[in-house]
Amino acid sequence: MITVSVFGWVPEFARGVVRDLRVRWALEEAGLTYKEHVLREGEKETPDYLALQPFGQVPAYRDDEVALFESAGIVHHIAQKSPALMPSDPVLAAQVTSWMFAAMNSVEPPIQNLAAIDLFFANEEWAKARRAGAADQARGRLKALAAYLEGKDYLVGDGFTAADLLMSSVLLILRHTDMLDEYPVLMAYKARCHGRPGYEKALEDQLATFERVAAATQ
Ligand SMILES: N[C@@H](CCC(=O)N[C@@H](CS)C(=O)NCC(=O)O)C(=O)O
């Protein structure tokens, strides 16, 4: 049985972008069922949980063979089991893996940096001074990604892969801005990826958990 650790509560701005969404989505695409482990308050700091996720974050993942953390590492593990996420052709598979790292290492950091400025530090003087530079850095990556995706539906080959799952999840972090509107190619790409039933189900399930936990604690 596959288990994914998730939060039962997060602030409104984070609902629908918590990183267990990527894992839920990958499992939906792969057609694998899972159960949630909803962390109770304070559980993420316990030795048992830190043994699973050393940074006390979600998601953590467990199946009959391995216990894993880091959303991209987990998605990669799931993708190895599923042609819906990873092509069988070794050259294409290597390219997918490369793009998965690109999503995490080249695109997510400037986007996450901008989101942190906007969502956590907006009233700090240093954040106000830094915001324009951080936005420029994010735009630099978006511009390059849009140029690469021009004329393509997906990052690698002809079909959706784990690379698109991660890249479109990273673009979602910008939902509190209208920055993506500047790149119609990326808007269309994100809509293409997020129009998939697997994404919709994963999102619905993440949001349902917050509702269920809230109802149970009232
Ligand atoms: N690089 C990690 C980041 C995980 C992460 O940032 N998780 C957030 C939720 S989206 C979290 O658990 N935040 C609570 C905390 O850091 O204490 C991954 O992709 O799994």
Side-chain angles (χ1 to χ4, degrees):
M1 178 43 122
I2 294 171
T3 309
V4 180
S5 71
V6 304
F7 288 140
W9 180 91
V10 296
E12 196 60 43
F13 70 78
R15 293 179 184 214
V17 283
V18 188
R19 284 170 172 78
D20 59 274
L21 185 66
R22 303 168 179 185
V23 175
R24 292 176 187 268
W25 184 9
L27 290 166
E28 294 296 338
E29 295 287 348
L32 296 169
T33 53
Y34 65 98
K35 72 176 195 277
E36 299 172 349
H37 172 68
V38 183
L39 295 180
R40 61 178 192 281
E41 205 178 331
E43 186 176 346
K44 71 190 181 83
E45 277 93 33
T46 61
D48 278 357
Y49 189 68
L50 291 172
L52 263 183
Q53 214 299 358
F55 306 110
Q57 298 182 309
V58 302
Y61 165 102
R62 211 198 274 264
D63 63 23
D64 293 338
E65 291 159 359
V66 285
L68 297 173
F69 63 100
E70 280 296 328
S71 56
I74 300 167
V75 169
H76 188 259
H77 173 70
I78 297 165
Q80 305 293 337
K81 304 171 189 287
S82 173
L85 289 166
M86 187 66 82
S88 53
D89 177 279
V91 173
L92 292 179
Q95 289 169 350
V96 168
T97 305
S98 178
W99 271 108
M100 292 175 76
F101 276 90
M104 295 300 98
N105 289 343
S106 297
V107 184
E108 186 168 53
I111 287 180
Q112 181 60 42
N113 183 43
L114 183 65
I117 286 174
D118 290 345
L119 301 173
F120 299 124
F121 304 111
N123 294 326
E124 307 278 344
E125 287 310 313
W126 68 261
K128 290 176 191 163
R130 181 72 195 106
R131 212 248 173 215
D136 280 350
Q137 279 186 327
R139 280 194 178 91
R141 291 298 193 238
L142 295 177
K143 187 173 169 211
L145 181 63
Y148 182 82
L149 278 169
E150 184 72 52
K152 300 185 180 77
D153 282 347
Y154 298 106
L155 287 167
V156 179
D158 295 331
F160 178 85
T161 67
D164 302 299
L165 187 155
L166 290 179
M167 191 64 85
S168 62
S169 297
V170 166
L171 297 180
L172 189 64
I173 299 171
L174 284 169
R175 70 178 182 171
H176 70 289
T177 74
D178 52 12
M179 190 179 273
L180 225 49
D181 296 352
E182 298 165 32
Y183 308 92
V185 168
L186 297 185
M187 288 291 280
Y189 170 71
K190 181 173 158 294
R192 193 174 302 123
C193 295
H194 290 173
R196 298 176 69 80
Y199 172 80
E200 286 168 8
K201 175 77 168 72
L203 176 60
E204 192 183 301
D205 287 346
Q206 181 178 94
L207 298 178
T209 298
F210 299 136
E211 296 297 327
R212 204 176 57 247
V213 171
T217 49
Q218 265 166 15

